């Protein structure tokens, strides 16, 4: 099987993935495919840290800004669309760089098997009547791994994990492990960004959150008319601002909650990516010239493919 060589730049939020991806793309003649579950949404720019035209530096970016916020876009839909984009870039003789921190999207794309087991429709109907906390507690009891990787308010994913378990007798984590055994159509060099001094990462996160509010996050949320129960409405930054708009919390409280939630999300991202045995970690606060380090890793790794 002739595999398509791709590069994946992953890691926690605010770690510098966009900047490194763009610099690599300029050096390698590559185009960038986003692997971020929130940057897909139209007009959700500030809160998702969507790259600006200036930050893109003329490098084509795909899989951003194409889905309406009221649509709950699934991982399978992401993979089906991204595969076509990657194939087109490859056919045009360009390199492909995946950039993003949504581990589930990246993992499912790379493993080559996105088919979920079929389950009876009545199971979902039974689960829909339960509250978020009750659903979450049920998932923790039967599939702790999936629960750990799913936010309590991500009702759609929690219900999906529970209906898989009830419909097949096996956990979603089990089916995910089967998926990982599938033959991938890609040869991927995975580059992970992290900081030896975790406080530096947290300061970057806090600074990014401050800038989001300073540059108009509240006005952006007001303009979107988000459904609080939608996937987009549950996104970090948007959920908290909606609570502020609806009078549930004050603005300073919203800012602090966003910072705290983002730091927690970064920890979950690192936990996810640490499971990847083939990832090459780069530390901007310790490694110095990470661009040239990344280029060497890519060159050395792709020699094995030849």
């Amino acid at each position: 099987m002739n595999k398509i060589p791709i590069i994946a730049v992953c890691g926690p939020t605010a770690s510098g993935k966009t900047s490194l991806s763009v610099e690599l793309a300029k050096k390698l003649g590559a185009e960038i495919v986003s692997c971020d579950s929130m940057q897909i949404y139209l007009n959700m720019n500030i809160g998702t840290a969507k790259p600006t035209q200036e930050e893109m530096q003329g490098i084509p970016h795909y899989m951003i800004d194409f889905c309406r916020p009221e649509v709950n876009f699934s991982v399978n839909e992401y993979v089906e669309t991204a595969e076509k984009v990657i194939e087109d870039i490859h056919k045009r003789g360009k390199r492909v760089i995946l950039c993003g921190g949504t581990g589930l999207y990246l993992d499912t794309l790379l493993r080559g098997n996105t088919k979920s087991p079929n389950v009876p429709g009545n199971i979902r109907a039974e689960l829909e009547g339960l509250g978020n906390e009750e659903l979450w507690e049920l998932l923790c009891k039967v599939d702790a791994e999936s629960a750990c990787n799913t936010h309590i308010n991500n009702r759609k994913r929690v219900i999906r994990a529970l209906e898989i378990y009830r419909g097949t007798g096996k956990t979603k984590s089990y089916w995910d492990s089967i998926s990982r055994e599938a033959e991938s159509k890609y040869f991927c060099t995975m580059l992970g960004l992290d900081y030896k001094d975790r406080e530096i990462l947290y300061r970057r996160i806090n600074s990014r959150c401050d800038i989001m509010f300073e540059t108009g996050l509240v006005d952006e949320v007001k303009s979107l008319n988000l459904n609080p129960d939608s996937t987009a409405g549950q996104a970090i930054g948007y959920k908290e601002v909606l609570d502020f708009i609806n009078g549930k919390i004050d603005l300073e409280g919203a800012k602090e909650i966003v910072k705290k939630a983002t730091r927690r999300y970064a920890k979950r991202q690192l936990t996810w990516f640490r499971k990847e045995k083939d990832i090459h970690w780069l530390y901007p606060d310790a490694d110095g010239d990470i661009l040239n380090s990344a280029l060497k890793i890519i060159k050395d790794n792709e020699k094995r493919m030849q």
Side-chain angles (χ1 to χ4, degrees), residues 89-282:
I89 296 171
H90 181 64
K91 283 182 176 179
R92 290 189 281 105
K94 295 285 188 177
R95 300 293 303 272
V96 178
I97 297 176
L98 293 170
C99 176
T102 304
L104 178 64
Y105 278 24
L106 178 63
D107 192 56
T108 309
L109 175 64
L110 295 181
R111 304 312 171 192
N113 182 358
T114 65
K115 300 300 181 184
S116 298
N118 293 321
V119 297
N122 64 308
I123 295 176
R124 173 172 287 267
E126 294 172 2
L127 294 168
E128 288 284 5
L130 303 178
N132 287 6
E133 187 172 346
E134 191 173 1
L135 288 167
W136 171 257
E137 289 175 355
L138 286 173
L139 184 58
C140 287
K141 290 177 182 178
V142 301
D143 188 359
E145 183 177 345
S146 289
C148 179
N149 293 317
T150 309
H151 194 279
I152 187 172
N153 291 324
N154 194 332
R155 183 178 179 86
K156 182 179 178 181
R157 280 186 60 191
V158 173
I159 288 177
R160 180 56 181 160
L162 284 169
E163 69 175 348
I164 287 174
Y165 176 74
R166 291 189 176 186
T168 68
K170 296 184 183 297
T171 64
K172 180 179 181 296
S173 300
Y174 165 80
W175 291 107
D176 288 346
S177 69
I178 296 298
S179 174
R180 293 188 190 102
E181 296 173 3
E183 179 72 10
S184 176
K185 63 178 70 175
Y186 307 113
F187 180 88
C188 182
T189 300
M190 295 186 68
L191 304 171
L193 288 178
D194 191 12
Y195 287 77
K196 292 286 189 181
D197 183 349
R198 191 55 51 82
E199 288 304 313
I200 293 178
L201 176 62
Y202 293 162
R203 287 198 295 271
R204 288 173 63 91
I205 289 171
N206 291 342
S207 175
R208 172 180 281 185
C209 290
D210 285 335
I211 291 170
M212 285 178 175
F213 279 93
E214 290 167 7
T215 54
L217 178 59
V218 173
D219 288 336
E220 178 173 279
V221 176
K222 287 179 178 178
S223 72
L224 291 170
N225 192 29
L226 289 172
N227 179 347
D229 295 324
S230 67
T231 300
Q234 288 293 319
I236 296 173
Y238 294 87
K239 178 181 183 297
E240 294 79 9
V241 171
L242 281 173
D243 285 343
F244 161 67
I245 292 170
N246 293 325
K248 296 180 180 179
I249 52 177
D250 62 24
L251 185 58
E252 289 305 312
K255 291 179 181 179
E256 289 308 309
I257 294 171
V258 171
K259 291 177 182 178
K260 186 175 181 180
T262 306
R263 293 193 298 268
R264 285 179 174 174
Y265 177 54
K267 290 180 182 178
R268 294 199 302 272
Q269 288 175 300
L270 284 166
T271 298
W272 180 289
F273 290 119
R274 289 291 179 191
K275 296 176 184 176
E276 293 286 350
K277 65 180 186 300
D278 295 325
I279 197 167
H280 302 270
W281 288 99
L282 297 167

Side-chain angles (χ1 to χ4, degrees), residues 13-27:
T13 186
S15 57
K17 298 184 295 295
T18 295
S19 177
L20 177 59
S21 296
V22 168
E23 292 305 315
L24 285 172
K26 290 193 297 185
K27 291 286 188 180

